[in-house]
């Protein structure tokens, strides 16, 4: 019996030890790492959603990353005369976080997460359809991040292998040339075009996700940045022909800037950043790059920068008087103002009430579903900034939507940001046709599709004797009126070489004239009547944003770009491409 008891005790000890060992090896599902995550279809799909989350940060498209390019252009100026000032004046010293660091940091968050997905997807047993959707979205989002990194910071590290982050020798990467980065962008987008379904094929799945149409649209943009017009034109013609899904202009231009499922992800949208409708998200504003709270507001703060300080916003950015007067120079065929003015700038125009049925006010009535009138309609143009003045910007704000009674500053606005619309496809097709074949009726027809939606008279080929004339119409009339105050104008100015030609730079100075007189000045300004112009302060090389100095200090392999070094990119640009001369249009 004694022997039996001893054996029994030994067995209990063995079982107990074994049980302890098993328990110690159990993975805590709440403390997973990248090493033990991403090994199934469902986990990879979660990881892809996490990639989309990164394009909704302040440094990407929730505020600064979006508006930095707008203020870099000639349609927007820094009405607060602080915060964005160095980026408006194109002379940041490289020590200011909002532009030199935040977009860099947050777009590399996107790169990091997409690289993770791509490092895992080949090791998981997936159907061809699932594989293509997961890998295709990751490729698109990585190329999207690198498109903005390369057009914001010029020559950035190209990291496409997730294992590079585990080795200090490769984690601290050196710069790649802008051409090398764009080569990778093109490669990724071409793959994504073949892998992703169209918006038509994708159905509900495609709502808000990257599709082959989104990849095709951004491929055309990438190709045109390097003046590959023939290649870009073929892609654009395929989009127009419906190869990547059906796209068409919305009947109402304003539907591209409204909130709600009946307007967002519409027939005109190739790709847009998704935000929760106002008041439907949580209450936590996550300004840091963490952005993991289940109670996050999940809105953006573009409205906080763009809207009128009189109406409660921060009043940082204003539309240029040049853009306002560009709209006023041409009437619709029935005599009314171009309706795009209403949706671009918050100006008071008496005729809005007389024959459009649209309210003139910003936030006039609150939510019509509540039948509550919160304030009277305005009878004058509200100030962008109550101290400096300026014209408030309407796009991607609720100034014209009449959804709620006032601005709630911060990450609350729920209007999806349409990063690429079908109208861009049409105007880019016109530009490519003009670059390849000169002014043709085909190019004019593309432009007229966009003009007819606005109710403007058709252009006539006979009015454009040279490619230079038609380019001027596209670059400085059609595109500013269609895309005024949207992200992308600064990138256009770089790809056209406008910073590298004295006449073009003088033209930008004229477009950038503004007054700091505490009024919403809408007069056409000249050197004599303007208080200033952002472009008078431009430092050579600062058409790109400098790489943050602390980032350079931390990475011994990284060098500054042209903005850090104040280097002129003009000679290298002119060696490869032509800058079209300034043409005075009738």
């Amino acid at each position: 019996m004694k022997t039996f008891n001893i054996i029994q005790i030994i067995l209990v000890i063995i079982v107990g030890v074994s049980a302890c060992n098993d328990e110690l090896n159990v993975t805590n599902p709440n403390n997973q790492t990248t090493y033990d995550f991403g090994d199934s279809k469902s986990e990879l799909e979660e990881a892809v959603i996490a990639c989309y989350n990164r394009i909704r940060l302040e440094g990407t498209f929730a505020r600064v990353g979006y508006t930095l390019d707008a203020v870099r252009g000639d349609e927007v100026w820094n009405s607060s005369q602080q915060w964005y000032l160095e980026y408006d004046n194109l002379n940041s010293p490289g020590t200011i976080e909002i532009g030199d660091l935040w977009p860099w940091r947050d777009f590399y968050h996107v790169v990091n997460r997409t690289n993770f997905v791509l490092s895992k997807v080949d090791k998981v047993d997936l159907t061809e359809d699932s594989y293509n959707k997961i890998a295709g979205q990751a490729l698109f989002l990585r190329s999207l991040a690198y498109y903005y990194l390369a057009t914001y910071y010029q020559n950035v590290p190209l990291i496409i292998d997730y294992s590079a982050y585990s080795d200090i020798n490769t984690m601290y990467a050196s710069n790649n040339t802008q051409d090398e980065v764009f080569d990778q962008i093109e490669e990724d987008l071409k793959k994504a075009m073949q892998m992703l379904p169209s918006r038509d094929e994708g159905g509900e799945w495609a709502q808000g996700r990257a599709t082959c149409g989104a990849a095709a649209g951004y491929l055309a943009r990438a190709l045109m940045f390097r003046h590959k017009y023939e290649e870009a034109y073929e892609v654009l013609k395929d989009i127009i022909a419906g190869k990547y899904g059906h796209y068409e202009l919305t009947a109402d231009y304003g539907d591209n800037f409204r909130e709600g499922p009946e307007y967002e992800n519409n027939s005109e949208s190739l790709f847009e950043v998704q935000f929760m409708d106002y008041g439907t998200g949580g209450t936590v504003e996550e300004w840091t790059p963490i952005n993991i709270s289940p109670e996050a507001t999940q809105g953006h703060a573009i409205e906080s920068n763009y809207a009128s300080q009189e109406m409660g916003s921060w009043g940082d950015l204003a539309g240029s008087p040049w853009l306002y007067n560009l709209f006023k120079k041409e009437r619709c065929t029935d005599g009314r103002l171009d309706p795009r003015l209403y949706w671009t700038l918050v100006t008071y125009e008496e005729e809005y009430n007389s024959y459009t049925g649209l309210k003139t006010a910003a936030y006039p009535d609150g939510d019509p579903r509540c039948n509550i009138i919160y304030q009277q309609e305005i009878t004058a143009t509200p100030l962008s900034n109550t101290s400096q003045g300026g014209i408030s910007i309407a796009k991607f704000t609720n100034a014209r939507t009449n959804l709620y009674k006032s601005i709630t500053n911060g990450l609350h606005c729920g209007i999806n940001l349409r990063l690429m619309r079908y109208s861009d496809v049409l105007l880019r097709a016109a530009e490519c046709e003009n670059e390849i074949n000169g002014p043709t009726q085909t190019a004019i027809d593309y432009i007229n599709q966009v003009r007819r939606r606005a109710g403007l008279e058709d252009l006539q080929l006979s009015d454009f004797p040279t490619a230079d004339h038609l380019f001027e119409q596209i670059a400085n009339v059609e595109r500013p009126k269609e895309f005024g105050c949207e992200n992308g104008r600064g990138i256009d100015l770089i790809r056209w070489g406008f910073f590298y030609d004295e006449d073009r730079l003088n033209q930008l100075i004229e477009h950038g004239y503004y007054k700091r007189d505490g009024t919403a000045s809408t007069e056409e300004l000249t050197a004599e009547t303007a208080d200033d112009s952002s472009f008078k302060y431009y430092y050579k090389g600062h058409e790109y944003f400098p790489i943050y100095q602390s980032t350079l200090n931390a990475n011994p392999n990284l060098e500054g770009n042209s903005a850090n070094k104040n280097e002129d990119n003009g000679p290298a640009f002119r060696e490869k491409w032509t800058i079209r001369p300034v043409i005075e249009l009738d």
Side-chain angles (χ1 to χ4, degrees), residues 28-273:
N28 181 354
N30 297 314
N31 192 32
Q32 290 177 305
T33 70
T34 54
Y35 294 103
D36 52 35
F37 188 81
D39 298 326
S40 68
K41 175 186 173 184
S42 61
E43 289 182 348
L44 284 174
E45 288 174 335
E46 287 183 45
V48 170
I49 292 171
C51 298
Y52 284 102
N53 176 266
R54 299 291 92 179
I55 66 171
R56 300 165 69 252
L57 299 180
E58 189 177 10
T60 47
F61 297 112
R63 182 170 64 133
V64 171
Y66 183 90
T67 52
L68 270 174
D69 188 69
V71 78
R72 177 167 59 169
D74 50 357
E75 308 156 335
V76 176
W77 64 282
N78 175 228
S79 51
S80 70
Q81 294 296 282
Q82 54 187 330
W83 194 243
Y84 285 88
L85 187 59
E86 290 80 5
Y87 303 100
D88 188 24
N89 290 344
L90 298 145
N91 60 13
S92 171
T95 56
I96 303 172
E97 287 191 3
I98 64 165
D100 304 339
L101 173 63
W102 291 356
W104 174 285
R105 174 197 67 196
D106 291 350
F107 279 118
Y108 271 113
H109 275 305
V110 181
V111 171
N112 181 22
R113 292 195 176 189
T114 54
N115 281 342
F116 168 75
V117 173
L118 293 168
S119 74
K120 292 279 191 173
V121 69
D122 286 330
K123 303 170 186 176
V124 179
D125 185 19
L126 298 167
T127 66
E128 183 179 6
D129 179 67
S130 294
Y131 178 89
N132 285 342
K133 284 179 177 177
I134 291 169
Q137 288 177 94
L139 288 166
F140 172 80
L141 291 170
R142 184 171 73 180
S143 66
L144 181 79
Y146 270 123
Y147 176 81
Y148 285 98
L149 284 165
T151 55
Y152 280 16
Y153 298 104
Q154 190 182 29
N155 49 346
V156 300
L158 181 62
I159 305 170
I160 59 174
D161 183 355
Y162 189 73
S163 64
Y165 303 117
S166 63
D167 186 333
I168 196 169
N169 296 311
T170 51
M171 182 173 66
Y172 286 102
S174 59
N175 309 72
N176 286 82
T177 67
Q178 191 180 58
D179 279 330
E180 288 172 335
V181 177
F182 266 91
D183 285 344
Q184 186 65 48
I185 292 169
E186 291 177 20
E187 181 181 332
D188 282 356
L189 289 172
K190 287 174 182 176
K191 290 179 181 177
M193 285 166 59
Q194 303 303 315
M195 301 171 82
L196 291 169
S198 70
R199 60 182 300 155
D200 308 332
E201 297 165 336
E204 185 177 352
W205 178 92
Q207 290 292 303
R209 294 180 182 269
T211 64
C212 60
Y218 266 89
L219 177 60
R221 283 185 172 180
L223 291 166
M224 290 180 72
F225 189 82
R226 293 198 288 175
H227 294 218
K228 297 182 179 182
Y229 295 112
E230 291 85 358
E231 292 179 59
Y233 195 22
E234 291 305 312
V235 176
L236 293 164
K237 286 190 290 187
D238 282 343
I239 297 172
I240 293 168
K243 181 176 179 179
Y244 303 109
H246 175 73
Y247 296 98
E248 63 181 6
L249 300 177
T250 58
D252 186 342
Y253 177 76
D255 286 354
N256 294 298
F257 311 102
R258 300 181 196 265
E259 177 186 297
E262 64 270 46
Y263 304 113
E264 294 168 331
N265 302 301
N266 61 35
S267 63
E268 189 168 338
S269 177
L270 275 76
F271 186 70
E272 59 192 71
V273 186

Side-chain angles (χ1 to χ4, degrees), residues 411-576:
L411 298 166
H412 293 279
C413 187
I415 302 171
N416 286 359
L417 299 180
R418 283 71 156 178
L419 293 189
M420 188 168 191
R421 299 190 278 112
Y422 184 60
S423 55
D424 190 33
V425 172
L426 293 170
L427 292 182
R428 284 177 179 273
E431 185 181 341
C432 287
E433 171 71 18
N434 186 55
E435 292 292 338
I436 298 165
N437 300 314
T440 65
Q441 189 60 48
T442 299
I444 296 293
D445 289 343
Y446 288 135
I447 298 170
N448 284 340
Q449 286 188 58
V450 179
R451 290 174 61 84
R452 285 170 193 159
R453 195 251 301 269
L456 300 177
E457 185 177 352
D458 280 359
L459 296 182
Q460 301 301 317
L461 178 59
S462 57
D463 292 331
F464 302 96
T466 70
D468 290 336
H469 285 78
L470 188 54
F471 172 80
E472 194 74 34
Q473 180 75 23
I474 294 169
N476 283 322
V477 179
E478 304 303 335
R479 290 194 68 85
K481 289 202 290 187
E482 180 66 20
F483 307 113
C485 305
E486 295 181 45
N487 176 284
R489 178 67 175 180
I491 297 170
D492 282 342
L493 299 182
I494 291 174
R495 71 180 178 89
W496 291 328
F498 281 14
F499 292 97
Y500 315 131
D501 176 85
E502 185 177 356
D503 289 340
R504 283 297 183 188
L505 190 54
N506 286 334
Q507 185 183 59
L508 293 179
I509 291 172
E510 292 172 2
H511 290 177
Y513 284 144
Y514 59 82
K515 279 191 170 184
R516 291 185 296 253
D517 62 355
T519 72
S521 172
T522 56
E523 63 183 287
E524 282 199 83
L525 298 174
T526 65
E528 291 71 34
T529 59
D531 288 338
D532 220 335
S533 172
S534 309
F535 293 92
K536 287 167 58 176
Y537 301 96
Y538 162 66
Y539 287 1
K540 290 186 184 301
H542 284 254
E543 65 276 15
Y544 294 100
F545 306 129
I547 300 171
Y548 192 50
Q549 188 59 49
S550 293
T551 302
L552 295 174
N553 295 343
N555 182 353
N557 299 319
L558 193 63
E559 294 184 3
N561 61 17
S562 66
N564 295 100
K565 301 174 182 178
N566 296 322
E567 289 181 349
D568 185 3
N569 291 307
F573 186 97
R574 289 190 295 270
E575 188 175 316
K576 293 188 292 185

